[in-house]
């Protein structure tokens, strides 16, 4: 029961890559993960985040900022 509770309350984050094999069925993966957790957030590929260097918030793409805000909101909603 504890494992099920943890899964039901989980927030899953997928960080998108710029290139993924054509054999990967992204939609099927997203659907399976969405059913397995309370929330699924997909962070779009952002070259400034992907390189692992120090980040400046004003340099991150707007869609990336929104995704990170959605992650924070999903975590807070669980409390």
């Amino acid at each position: 029961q504890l494992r099920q509770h943890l899964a039901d309350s989980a927030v899953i984050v997928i960080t998108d890559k710029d290139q993924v094999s054509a054999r990967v069925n992204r939609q099927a993966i997203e659907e399976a993960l969405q059913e397995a957790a309370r929330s699924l957030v997909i962070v779009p590929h952002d070259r400034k985040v992907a390189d692992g260097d120090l980040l400046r918030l004003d340099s991150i793409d707007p869609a990336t900022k929104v995704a990170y805000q959605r992650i924070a909101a999903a975590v807070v909603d669980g409390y």
Side-chain angles (χ1 to χ4, degrees):
Q1 286 182 341
L2 177 59
R3 287 183 186 172
Q4 187 60 48
H5 169 71
L6 291 175
D8 291 341
S9 61
V11 175
I12 297 175
V13 177
I14 297 175
T15 52
D16 203 359
K17 294 183 58 167
D18 55 349
Q19 294 183 9
V20 177
S21 169
R23 294 177 291 156
V24 174
N25 185 338
R26 295 171 92 165
Q27 183 175 352
I29 293 169
E30 291 173 19
E31 289 172 3
L33 291 174
Q34 183 65 52
E35 293 174 9
R38 180 173 50 83
S39 183
L40 171 66
V41 180
I42 300 170
V43 179
H45 177 74
D46 187 329
R47 193 175 300 262
K48 293 184 179 75
V49 175
D51 68 11
D53 199 0
L54 183 63
L55 293 175
R56 290 182 37 162
L57 289 178
D58 61 345
S59 70
I60 298 173
D61 290 337
T64 303
K65 287 181 190 178
V66 169
Y68 284 122
Q69 290 169 346
R70 288 185 57 221
I71 294 166
V75 170
V76 170
D77 284 346
Y79 288 98

